[in-house]
Amino acid sequence: MTLWNAVLVASIVCVALKTLGYLVPPRWLEAPRPARIADLLTVALLAALVAVQTLAAGQQVVVDARVPAVLAAGGLLLLRAPFLVVVVAAAVVAALLRLWGIAD
């Protein structure tokens, strides 16, 4: 199967799933349990994305300057720092660790 065939099949599946979503009765989605599951699923997917982007390099788990940078960002977010400050501080932490040769 070529790459373009895989892309076309994936596109058709996505459109079909979206169409099925419109066929679900609204009362099913307004119930407390599905709403709670959707909220938790969003947080879990975002956390997984952050973990993969922080710790993965190809097929390997890598601990480098990104890990302390994410930890610094998390600490600043707990302290309710503005988002721009969080991003700049994480970048500075990673840059300094790489400059000093502590982390790659």
Side-chain angles (χ1 to χ4, degrees):
M1 185 188 244
T2 66
L3 180 62
W4 283 110
N5 288 340
V7 169
L8 288 174
V9 169
S11 300
I12 291 169
V13 169
C14 286
V15 169
L17 284 174
K18 187 169 184 170
T19 303
L20 285 174
Y22 286 118
L23 299 176
V24 174
R27 62 178 157 74
W28 288 3
L29 300 175
E30 293 168 355
R33 181 174 280 172
R36 183 73 177 146
I37 289 171
D39 289 344
L40 293 175
L41 188 61
T42 304
V43 173
L45 287 173
L46 182 59
L49 177 64
V50 168
V52 167
Q53 291 297 315
T54 302
L55 298 173
Q59 296 291 323
Q60 299 176 1
V61 174
V62 177
V63 178
D64 58 8
R66 294 176 290 182
V67 175
V70 169
L71 291 174
L76 288 172
L77 286 173
L78 287 174
L79 296 174
R80 306 254 186 226
F83 185 71
L84 186 59
V85 172
V86 172
V87 171
V88 169
V92 167
V93 167
L96 287 175
L97 288 174
R98 288 179 175 145
L99 177 70
W100 296 333
I102 297 172
D104 292 333

